Amino acid sequence: MKPKFGVVVFPGSNCDYDAYYAIKKILDQDVTFLWHKENNLDEANVIILPGGFSYGDYLRTGAIARFSPIMNSVIDFAHKGGIVIGICNGFQILLEAGLLPGVMLRNMSLQFVCKDVYLSTENRNTFFSSEIPVEKKAIKIPIAHGEGNYYASDDVLKSLQENNQIIFRYSDSSGKVSDEVNPNGSLMNIAGIINKQGNVLGMMPHPERACDPVLNKTDGQFIFKSIINYLTN
């Protein structure tokens, strides 16, 4: 049995079809769209909150989407151990919903940033990173955001470190983390974190945009293949 992915569609989502295409056409998995006004997750094994500008990013990024009817089901699903991945705006929604700690601020440059970046994998023992080869010092994934500057209190940052919840950090191609390669001012170069239970991932980079060999970048496949491997083995 193939795992079933559900891609939530909010008004303003613009990476929902990218996620659908990567899962269905590239990775050959079952996937369905889930409309934000519904509360039925259609028996999906994995929920994806895609990138975009849900509700036009009014108030704060993700602040309105967090109250969409479907989010009650997503929160319940996550609390019961269901796998959830929030990408870019989806990460922001997870923060607003309290499924992950911290907040997102405007990029330090106050500019929208759209480019390929490198990520060091800080923890490979997760549902989302187990298939990233140890010898791969950094994976190459694109970003596209104006508010990806991750911020949290010192206590939260300490907890994230102690519980190995930091999964991805912005780095150079050799995996070295430094201020010079931080694209948005994110504390500790944080690009992706999980919850304490390990079943919810939020990341600003877009793995769904790095899956198709036609684009000459496929490192995003590692993240989805990690999930698929966990659910099928």
Side-chain angles (χ1 to χ4, degrees):
M1 291 288 291
K2 295 179 180 179
K4 184 177 183 180
F5 289 75
V7 179
V8 178
V9 181
F10 299 97
S13 296
N14 66 6
C15 299
D16 41 359
Y17 279 89
D18 293 345
Y20 184 99
Y21 178 86
I23 300 299
K24 182 73 173 180
K25 302 297 184 181
I26 304 300
L27 297 169
D28 190 31
Q29 302 297 308
D30 291 335
V31 59
T32 186
F33 287 119
L34 303 172
W35 185 234
H36 71 109
K37 286 189 176 181
E38 304 294 331
N39 54 30
N40 180 10
L41 300 184
D42 201 14
E43 299 183 344
N45 306 110
V46 183
I47 300 300
I48 298 176
L49 303 181
F53 303 90
S54 59
Y55 294 89
D57 279 351
Y58 289 108
L59 298 183
R60 296 183 306 277
T61 53
I64 301 178
R66 176 264 176 273
F67 292 102
S68 284
I70 201 167
M71 284 304 298
N72 291 325
S73 299
V74 172
I75 291 169
D76 184 59
F77 177 77
H79 285 161
K80 291 178 179 177
I83 296 177
V84 179
I85 174 171
I87 301 168
C88 198
N89 186 227
F91 186 4
Q92 296 161 341
I93 295 169
L94 290 176
L95 295 174
E96 289 287 338
L99 288 175
L100 291 172
V103 298
M104 284 295 172
L105 307 179
R106 290 285 304 276
N107 294 345
M108 190 71 73
S109 65
L110 302 183
Q111 300 292 317
F112 187 88
V113 179
C114 182
K115 64 179 182 178
D116 288 338
V117 298
Y118 288 99
L119 307 175
S120 69
T121 305
E122 303 295 304
N123 181 359
R124 285 178 169 80
N125 296 315
T126 78
F127 303 153
F128 310 98
S129 58
S130 61
E131 291 298 303
I132 300 174
V134 174
E135 63 272 14
K136 192 127 181 119
K137 301 302 181 183
I139 57 175
K140 188 178 183 181
I141 307 283
I143 58 171
H145 58 252
E147 290 157 301
N149 181 358
Y150 180 79
Y151 179 84
S153 68
D154 290 341
D155 287 343
V156 168
L157 292 174
K158 182 180 178 182
S159 178
L160 290 174
Q161 286 182 291
E162 291 177 345
N163 295 303
N164 294 317
Q165 291 174 248
I166 301 172
I167 305 302
F168 301 114
R169 298 173 69 192
Y170 299 109
S171 71
D172 62 18
S173 59
S174 67
K176 181 182 178 182
V177 175
S178 67
D179 290 340
E180 288 71 31
V181 294
N182 189 329
N184 49 36
S186 181
L187 291 180
M188 297 178 61
N189 282 49
I190 287 175
I193 61 173
I194 56 174
N195 62 342
K196 285 184 178 180
Q197 293 72 32
N199 61 302
V200 178
L201 167 70
M203 62 183 298
M204 288 309 296
H206 287 267
E208 79 284 4
R209 296 185 183 180
C211 285
D212 195 335
V214 170
L215 301 176
N216 198 32
K217 47 190 170 187
T218 58
D219 285 353
Q221 288 191 22
F222 293 128
I223 293 164
F224 297 117
K225 284 181 176 179
S226 296
I227 298 170
I228 295 166
N229 181 64
Y230 167 74
L231 290 173
T232 56
N233 293 295

